[in-house]
Amino acid sequence: MTEKKVTIKDVAKASGVSIATVSQIVNGNSKNFSPKTVAKVLKIKDELNYVPDYFARRMVMKKSKTIGVLVPDISNPFFSTLVRGVEDVLYKENFITMLCNANGDNEKESLVLEELSRRGVDGFIIASSAISDEDIERLLINKKHPFIILDQKSSEENSDSIQTDDFLGGNLAASHLKELGHEKVAVVLPEKATANIVRRLEGFIEVMGKNVTVIYSSLSKEGGRRAAKDIITTDVTGIFAINDEIAFGLYLGLKDFDKSIPSDYSVIGYDNVDMCKYVTPPLTTIAQPIYELGQQTAELLLERIEHPEQEKVVKKLPVNLINRFSTRQI
Ligand code: RIB
């Protein structure tokens, strides 16, 4: 026989208070009640093993304690580390993270955003570039949803903003190769580069000058591997892989042509994901504070949810060179 589900009515009856009182107290809104009433209601709730209904709770509190997080590629360690930072902060504040992988698909992204909005999430963190400005307006601004768009795209005019210094990152990568004597260099990046990646390229060109070989490939290990066949037809000695995933792909791709790093090519990556330390040779790269970026984004969003009227916040986090063994003096 199935046990009868304990309802809020049962708790109210056993505590001798109204259903509204129980609802407020079990949802953490106890400031309007005496400590005695609060203690009694919570005790009876535990004794009866009452579990508040999620949807009912949403109706009362107009809050779901849930944040929707959208990333373009969860298999890329950059995004999994970012989400770890986000989730650690949200979890401590009793929020649940609802993670969606957009896969760079604009249609999927709109559908997911609409669905998250229907499910009543309290705010959005979007690290994907697929979202269009129309969707930002239609799905987020018009519905007054708190949100932060970061990394591949930003929406500084409409929301708080947190970015890392991509231009400086490009500068640092170029200066490093230049100091090692590399004058002929290539950059591997996607043809339809997102705004943050374009800034990296601009920073790189500022130091290296316009005489940079640009090789287009996708932002993935496979993209890096494929780029190797173009690299070997050039006379470059240094390669700036616009993210670490591309750099890892280059390791394998160049090996397929019997080329080695750093004796044939110096390679510098971007991100400083955990794997950089474990490949051979360990990858020299530009480090973004990925985990902190996730943490600070979540903190900023929670502040915005708490204080919707406060001044917009704009933050830029630093990047730095991590010198390992994939580049050499020539
Ligand atoms: O590795 C993913 C890359 O794309 C990172 O460099 C990140 O900044 C993103 O835009």
Side-chain angles (χ1 to χ4, degrees):
M1 207 174 73
T2 51
E3 255 178 53
K4 191 174 160 282
K5 190 173 187 290
V6 177
T7 67
I8 194 165
K9 243 186 185 168
D10 301 322
V11 182
K13 196 167 166 203
S15 318
V17 299
S18 70
I19 293 176
T21 302
V22 176
S23 163
Q24 293 288 327
I25 292 175
V26 298
N27 283 305
N29 222 357
S30 48
K31 59 180 185 303
N32 297 328
F33 306 99
S34 72
K36 200 170 149 204
T37 305
V38 174
K40 188 166 161 200
V41 168
L42 293 178
K43 183 165 171 268
I44 289 180
K45 167 188 160 271
D46 289 344
E47 280 171 7
L48 297 182
N49 236 337
Y50 168 66
V51 182
D53 181 88
Y54 167 79
F55 288 102
R57 172 196 163 117
R58 222 185 78 198
M59 298 288 284
V60 176
M61 305 298 290
K62 308 253 180 302
K63 281 193 179 132
S64 60
K65 292 288 226 175
T66 308
I67 301 294
V69 177
L70 217 64
V71 297
D73 178 8
I74 194 61
S75 69
N76 179 333
F78 173 89
F79 294 106
S80 43
T81 307
L82 183 83
V83 171
R84 211 158 44 76
V86 167
E87 211 266 341
D88 283 354
V89 167
L90 294 182
Y91 180 72
K92 271 199 208 111
E93 298 299 324
N94 295 320
F95 277 76
I96 286 296
T97 303
M98 223 178 240
L99 176 64
C100 303
N101 183 37
N103 245 349
D105 177 342
N106 178 266
E107 200 179 329
K108 179 174 178 191
E109 193 156 291
S110 303
L111 288 175
V112 163
L113 285 178
E114 282 192 54
E115 192 49 43
L116 288 173
S117 163
R118 255 198 295 278
R119 286 169 194 234
V121 299
D122 298 325
F124 293 84
I125 293 176
I126 301 169
S128 170
S129 65
I131 186 166
S132 63
D133 293 340
E134 296 73 55
D135 279 349
I136 295 178
E137 175 118 18
R138 184 172 64 88
L139 300 169
L140 302 173
I141 301 175
N142 291 353
K143 294 189 177 172
K144 299 203 167 22
H145 286 309
F147 69 94
I148 295 184
I149 300 178
L150 76 154
D151 189 51
Q152 301 200 333
K153 186 173 171 117
S154 75
S155 182
E156 256 174 61
E157 343 51 82
N158 303 310
S159 68
D160 299 317
S161 151
I162 181 157
Q163 296 286 333
T164 57
D165 198 337
D166 288 286
F167 190 85
L168 174 64
N171 258 206
L172 292 173
S175 305
H176 175 69
L177 291 175
K178 206 170 180 180
E179 276 158 24
L180 293 175
H182 296 275
E183 277 166 11
K184 296 192 170 151
V185 292
V187 183
V188 184
L189 78 167
E191 189 163 9
K192 287 191 186 148
T194 51
N196 60 337
I197 282 176
V198 171
R199 282 194 296 274
R200 276 172 217 173
L201 177 64
E202 287 167 353
F204 191 82
I205 287 175
E206 188 189 65
V207 173
M208 275 292 175
K210 288 243 159 58
N211 198 14
V212 165
T213 303
V214 172
I215 292 176
Y216 293 123
S217 207
S218 61
L219 199 63
S220 63
K221 291 194 269 301
E222 207 30 56
R225 187 180 187 177
R226 278 198 306 268
K229 70 170 185 330
D230 296 327
I231 296 277
I232 58 153
T233 64
T234 69
D235 57 355
V236 304
T237 56
I239 309 169
F240 175 31
I242 218 78
N243 77 346
D244 291 340
E245 290 283 276
I246 291 184
F248 298 145
L250 279 169
Y251 273 47
L252 191 57
L254 290 171
K255 189 159 174 273
D256 289 342
F257 292 101
D258 283 329
K259 302 289 181 197
S260 43
I261 300 168
S263 42
D264 295 311
Y265 295 101
S266 283
V267 175
I268 180 166
Y270 202 103
D271 284 346
N272 195 31
V273 298
D274 198 40
M275 193 53 84
C276 295
K277 308 194 272 284
Y278 297 96
V279 290
T280 308
L283 181 65
T284 293
T285 193
I286 303 298
Q288 304 202 63
I290 313 173
Y291 179 79
E292 291 75 16
L293 181 63
Q295 282 184 310
Q296 294 199 26
T297 304
E299 283 163 5
L300 207 54
L301 184 67
L302 294 185
E303 263 175 49
R304 174 61 55 198
I305 292 171
E306 202 56 35
H307 308 285
E309 303 307 333
Q310 80 179 9
E311 287 271 299
K312 281 207 192 81
V313 178
V314 176
K315 279 191 181 179
K316 196 168 256 184
L317 303 187
V319 293
N320 60 296
L321 171 78
I322 305 288
N323 197 355
R324 296 197 179 94
F325 299 97
S326 60
T327 54
R328 74 172 180 103
Q329 186 84 44
I330 55 165

